[in-house]
Amino acid sequence: MTEKYIDSMAWGHGLATFDSNGEILDTWYPEPKLGKAPEDDTQWFAPASIEGMAEKDSLREVETKPIRTEIDLTLAVTSVSDAYLRLHLLSHCLVTPNSINLEGLFANLPNVVFTNKGPVKQDVYSKKIAGFKKAGIFVVNIDKFPRMVDYVSPEKVRIGDGSRIRLGAHLAPGTVVMHEGFVNFNAGTLGTSMVEGRISQGVVVGDGSDIGGGASIMGTLSGGGKHKISVGKRSLLGANSGLGISLGDDCVLEAGLYLTAGTKLTLIAGDGQQEIKASELSGKHNLLFRRNSLTGAVEALPREGAGVTLNSLLH
């Protein structure tokens, strides 16, 4: 269930890549906008900067042309350009993950060869590999989703390896994604965060939180079901930990501990103990999750004060 924006419309002037059959392979929107598209002549036509990029590429067998797209974010995706506009809105931080309708996204994204010169149909690349090598054109990835950094440069963000951030990732100002960090589409950060682990599709991480090296957060595309996992503010996922429930604010997940919704754990509070499933603590604040080094049992304990404090010099 998505949240409905007061103004559910979005639009943008884009530069679309057409193959030899007139099918669109991708669309770049330099300045996507929320709201209804203006109808006056001054804003109807694409800006000169986009018009000047229209060209034909005989080697890739494509042609780039300016287009204008307007969509309703509450409706399902209906085209390639529609899909790309929604992904741009996310990466430009104009909408947040899980807030717009992405039904039909995969079905409308073609699987193409993304190169340093732009997208190419797979059959074209296969038959012209020698020509591409001679021209100094190399493959970045073969996927439905391109790298975000080839389309969007988010404000005040550091990214160690651009190939690990998909278009559609939402990186708030102050976010640092180290070289082993990964952020999928429709996922990301809502504030200053350190990301050295994996943020899967649908996952959001709150301001001031740290996703440690090798840590993984379960998403909805890889066995996570329909539950959208979130990490609250100032929380820490220790190195090589795994998370299958939501964390509230000021929580810590011990390094190496994989916590799923069905994990049986002991809640230690005051003088008492209670055996529960981890799912019963989903979204609760001020908790430490650990594995008892003597018994091997998973435990949850209340913790006081604020959680982690990020090094401001790194952000």
Side-chain angles (χ1 to χ4, degrees), residues 69-288:
T69 308
E70 183 177 12
I71 57 175
D72 186 332
L73 299 174
T74 65
L75 302 180
V77 179
T78 59
S79 68
V80 177
S81 293
D82 179 340
Y84 268 84
L85 180 52
R86 296 182 200 227
L87 294 175
H88 277 75
L89 291 170
L90 284 160
S91 289
H92 277 274
C93 293
L94 294 175
V95 299
T96 55
N98 307 316
S99 66
I100 61 175
N101 190 348
L102 296 180
E103 180 184 353
L105 185 73
F106 274 88
N108 283 283
L109 287 173
N111 195 50
V112 301
V113 178
F114 291 100
T115 75
N116 61 315
K117 294 294 184 180
V120 186
K121 287 190 69 175
Q122 286 185 284
D123 60 339
V124 173
Y125 182 79
S126 296
K127 71 182 181 182
K128 291 185 173 183
I129 289 180
F132 284 113
K133 286 184 175 293
K134 185 176 181 180
I137 298 176
F138 57 84
V139 175
V140 173
N141 64 325
I142 303 175
D143 198 0
K144 287 177 173 285
F145 294 82
R147 304 185 303 180
M148 182 192 72
V149 294
D150 293 330
Y151 295 77
V152 180
S153 179
E155 182 182 0
K156 298 179 181 178
V157 166
R158 290 173 54 206
I159 298 173
D161 184 350
S163 65
R164 299 181 65 83
I165 313 296
R166 272 176 151 182
L167 181 64
H170 182 287
L171 301 182
T175 298
V176 175
V177 185
M178 298 300 289
H179 295 74
E180 293 303 313
F182 170 83
V183 186
N184 211 335
F185 76 97
N186 192 39
T189 61
L190 302 179
T192 300
S193 300
M194 174 63 74
V195 181
E196 298 179 87
R198 177 184 179 87
I199 302 179
S200 300
Q201 196 276 143
V203 174
V204 291
V205 175
D207 183 43
S209 289
D210 188 334
I211 311 303
S216 179
I217 307 173
M218 190 180 294
T220 56
L221 294 182
S222 55
K226 297 182 179 180
H227 175 65
K228 302 287 189 179
I229 294 175
S230 61
V231 176
K233 299 176 182 178
R234 302 174 301 278
S235 288
L236 169 67
L237 270 63
N240 297 315
S241 63
L243 184 65
I245 66 170
S246 292
L247 288 186
D249 299 340
D250 304 302
C251 291
V252 174
L253 179 62
E254 182 183 71
L257 175 60
Y258 205 114
L259 192 69
T260 67
T263 299
K264 297 290 184 63
L265 56 78
T266 301
L267 174 61
I268 302 174
D271 297 329
Q273 297 185 6
Q274 183 182 3
E275 304 299 320
I276 60 174
K277 286 186 177 181
S279 59
E280 296 181 50
L281 297 177
S282 184
K284 302 296 184 182
H285 305 308
N286 296 96
L287 288 172
L288 165 64

